[in-house]
Amino acid sequence: MSVNSNSEPSRYDQKLELILRTSARIFAEKSFHSTTMRDISRATGVSLAGLYHYCKSKEELLFLIQDHCFGRVLERLEQRLSASSDPIEKLRIFIDNHLSFFAANMAEMKVLSHEADSLGGDLHAHVSNKKRQYTRRARKILSELQHTAPAATAARPARRNGRRRVTDSRRMDLTVATYALFGMMNWIYNWYDPGGKLSVTQLVDNITQLFLAGFLAREEAAFALAGPGMAEKISVWRTA
Amino acid sequence: MSVNSNSEPSRYDQKLELILRTSARIFAEKSFHSTTMRDISRATGVSLAGLYHYCKSKEELLFLIQDHCFGRVLERLEQRLSASSDPIEKLRIFIDNHLSFFAANMAEMKVLSHEADSLGGDLHAHVSNKKRQYTRRARKILSELQHTAPAATAARPARRNGRRRVTDSRRMDLTVATYALFGMMNWIYNWYDPGGKLSVTQLVDNITQLFLAGFLAREEAAFALAGPGMAEKISVWRTA
């Protein structure tokens, strides 16, 4: 995790980055509660007294990991989104930004997920606020997609005489869609190997493809794709 | 979580179920490592000596929670799948079975996710084996879907003169698709409120719709749905 967004991080920042990166790895391995400052001192080679020069407590370390992650991801996202006005491209940028950052910071990703409630008070409120801001950004892109997709479809006369492919994508619940997207992306810390044969680009392509086609298509497309006979099976979708 | 699949659980099973359910809630709240047998004794009203009648250790409690969850989900799944031969229906059953079970067992879901590595040795191996079995089941359904969907499309002559909707869904990476599905489903413990306005049926419908349409459609459908001009933007999908 890069702590400083400038190209020339100070020695202080470099050392802090080493401490945060190592702490994240240990928190991910043995949980925040089971980790001691002594563990972090041993793993970083920074004395206990030295560690307290960078943070007041173990809790502050956890806060800095979470705060810097969300901060960096948000900052990179806004930079990249500023060049785009197309909602599909925005979604692609969002997914690419999230996955490429966290594929390089898998321990941090696990810590963000598992230790979200290990912070209390103001520290928790501060991180929650950034997380809400980030979630709202994703939801806004999806909302834009829902509102532009039907118009785009209507603009294709060749399709209008056939069965409509998109009738009303607004029926997809935005809350479910937003968290389904985060679920697909954030689950990677459980299975993805950044050094394995599936590149981050391939991961991004597959996730974008899966989510975007599903979000825009709706059940009508799924039935159409499934071939004849599926129309009668529509009850399958409604059984509790 | 129901421990016994028979309709008449014994008093022993009822008590064990209470202990497991309460332990899961406490593990989910404060983590496995921070929980003591004394916490569980206090919360269940079962004496410490009484608890050790049901389990040898806190680790065995965690094992029983994980083992019973995967056992129940797998058992219910196989029962329900035995009545179906259609891969779309199978997928719908898989998602419904998973989400309806875990929406009623959210604490257990969080514990399965966060404490997967808190078990060691044989206990860990036993649970991992069931988890692998379950993951393979999902992957097999997706593989069946990939192989039957193009055939189903080809069987619809009315579509054959138009642009093909499904060209080759095999290009969707099965590992990504399988874990994306688990990610979408398992992430619900972070946001879904089973007592809120979104019913489990609606949750299942939305997730099934989103995943299935996305999985079957592929990028061609996404571009078609997005309207004119998207073909030129195909590079958006390939940028790292």
Side-chain angles (χ1 to χ4, degrees):
Chain A
M1 179 179 53
S2 173
V3 168
N4 193 315
S5 57
N6 300 327
S7 51
E8 287 285 359
S10 66
R11 279 192 60 176
Y12 180 93
D13 279 347
Q14 284 181 327
K15 189 75 153 282
L16 178 58
E17 184 170 332
L18 167 77
I19 294 168
L20 294 184
R21 199 162 180 85
T22 310
S23 309
R25 181 173 54 74
I26 304 176
F27 291 161
E29 273 165 26
K30 54 189 273 185
S31 90
F32 174 70
H33 288 290
S34 307
T35 304
T36 63
M37 288 295 268
R38 210 166 283 278
D39 294 331
I40 295 166
S41 165
R42 245 193 310 266
T44 53
V46 179
S47 69
L48 268 178
L51 279 182
Y52 288 109
H53 183 56
Y54 292 89
C55 60
K56 287 197 293 284
S57 61
K58 188 177 76 160
E59 198 182 17
E60 196 184 339
L61 271 184
L62 179 60
F63 166 75
L64 289 174
I65 292 167
Q66 300 193 355
D67 188 56
H68 285 156
C69 273
F70 282 117
R72 285 287 290 144
V73 163
L74 263 165
E75 185 190 7
R76 286 168 41 144
L77 179 68
E78 295 304 340
Q79 275 169 9
R80 296 179 64 184
L81 283 180
S82 65
S84 174
S85 61
D86 177 77
I88 292 195
E89 202 177 322
K90 283 187 191 173
L91 180 64
R92 160 80 192 180
I93 289 171
F94 189 92
I95 295 174
D96 181 77
N97 187 66
H98 189 94
L99 287 176
S100 57
F101 180 82
F102 284 113
N105 296 279
M106 301 271 277
E108 284 78 2
M109 191 178 210
K110 185 175 177 184
V111 171
L112 292 189
S113 166
H114 286 204
E115 310 293 357
D117 295 327
S118 300
L119 292 176
D122 287 350
L123 298 184
H124 187 271
H126 185 91
V127 172
S128 292
N129 192 38
K130 275 202 179 158
K131 207 190 289 185
R132 259 196 305 276
Q133 194 185 334
Y134 189 52
T135 309
R136 268 201 306 268
R137 202 68 184 84
R139 192 186 174 102
K140 189 160 169 272
I141 295 172
L142 296 187
S143 171
E144 284 171 33
L145 257 174
Q146 275 194 333
H147 288 91
T148 55
T153 309
R156 311 182 78 215
R159 296 262 170 224
R160 294 175 97 176
N161 300 326
R163 197 164 153 206
R164 287 181 68 197
R165 284 178 148 199
V166 174
T167 47
D168 179 14
S169 61
R170 263 158 268 188
R171 274 192 45 209
M172 173 67 65
D173 186 283
L174 260 193
T175 303
V176 177
T178 306
Y179 287 109
L181 176 59
F182 278 113
M184 287 165 81
M185 297 194 297
N186 291 343
W187 202 246
I188 65 162
Y189 77 82
N190 286 300
W191 66 273
Y192 181 62
D193 172 12
K197 68 177 165 51
L198 189 81
S199 71
V200 176
T201 307
Q202 287 172 311
L203 178 70
V204 171
D205 282 346
N206 275 276
I207 296 267
T208 307
Q209 193 172 308
L210 186 60
F211 181 83
L212 188 57
F215 183 68
L216 293 177
R218 301 188 55 243
E219 75 265 41
E220 195 240 348
F223 285 118
L225 288 163
M230 274 314 293
E232 302 103 72
K233 291 185 188 163
I234 199 153
S235 65
V236 170
W237 293 81
R238 298 294 159 203
T239 318
Chain B
M1 178 178 55
S2 173
V3 167
N4 194 315
S5 58
N6 300 328
S7 51
E8 287 284 1
S10 66
R11 279 193 59 178
Y12 180 92
D13 279 347
Q14 284 181 326
K15 189 72 154 284
L16 178 58
E17 184 169 332
L18 167 77
I19 294 168
L20 294 184
R21 200 165 178 83
T22 310
S23 308
R25 180 173 56 75
I26 304 176
F27 292 160
E29 273 167 25
K30 55 190 271 185
S31 91
F32 173 70
H33 288 289
S34 307
T35 303
T36 63
M37 287 297 265
R38 211 167 282 278
D39 294 331
I40 294 166
S41 166
R42 244 193 310 268
T44 51
V46 178
S47 69
L48 269 178
L51 279 183
Y52 287 109
H53 184 56
Y54 292 89
C55 60
K56 287 198 293 283
S57 63
K58 189 177 75 160
E59 198 182 16
E60 196 185 339
L61 270 184
L62 179 60
F63 166 74
L64 289 173
I65 292 167
Q66 300 194 356
D67 187 56
H68 284 155
C69 272
F70 282 118
R72 284 288 289 145
V73 163
L74 264 165
E75 185 189 9
R76 285 168 39 142
L77 180 68
E78 294 305 339
Q79 274 168 10
R80 296 179 63 184
L81 283 181
S82 65
S84 175
S85 61
D86 178 78
I88 292 197
E89 202 177 320
K90 283 186 191 173
L91 180 65
R92 160 79 191 180
I93 289 170
F94 189 92
I95 296 174
D96 180 78
N97 186 66
H98 189 94
L99 287 175
S100 57
F101 180 82
F102 284 113
N105 297 279
M106 301 269 280
E108 283 78 1
M109 190 177 211
K110 185 174 176 183
V111 171
L112 292 189
S113 166
H114 286 203
E115 311 293 356
D117 295 327
S118 301
L119 291 176
D122 288 349
L123 299 184
H124 187 269
H126 185 92
V127 172
S128 291
N129 192 38
K130 275 201 179 159
K131 207 191 287 186
R132 260 197 304 276
Q133 193 184 335
Y134 189 52
T135 308
R136 269 202 305 269
R137 202 69 185 84
R139 193 185 172 102
K140 189 160 170 272
I141 294 172
L142 296 187
S143 171
E144 284 172 33
L145 257 174
Q146 276 194 333
H147 288 90
T148 54
T153 309
R156 313 181 79 218
R159 298 257 170 227
R160 293 174 97 174
N161 300 326
R163 194 165 155 205
R164 286 181 70 198
R165 282 179 149 199
V166 175
T167 46
D168 179 15
S169 60
R170 262 157 270 190
R171 273 194 44 209
M172 172 67 66
D173 186 282
L174 260 194
T175 303
V176 177
T178 306
Y179 287 110
L181 175 60
F182 278 114
M184 288 164 79
M185 296 193 298
N186 292 343
W187 202 245
I188 66 161
Y189 78 82
N190 286 300
W191 65 275
Y192 181 62
D193 172 12
K197 69 177 166 46
L198 190 81
S199 71
V200 176
T201 308
Q202 287 171 311
L203 178 69
V204 171
D205 282 346
N206 274 277
I207 297 266
T208 307
Q209 194 172 306
L210 186 60
F211 182 83
L212 187 58
F215 183 68
L216 292 177
R218 300 189 54 245
E219 77 266 40
E220 194 241 349
F223 284 121
L225 288 162
M230 274 315 292
E232 302 102 72
K233 290 185 188 162
I234 198 154
S235 63
V236 170
W237 295 80
R238 299 292 158 203
T239 317

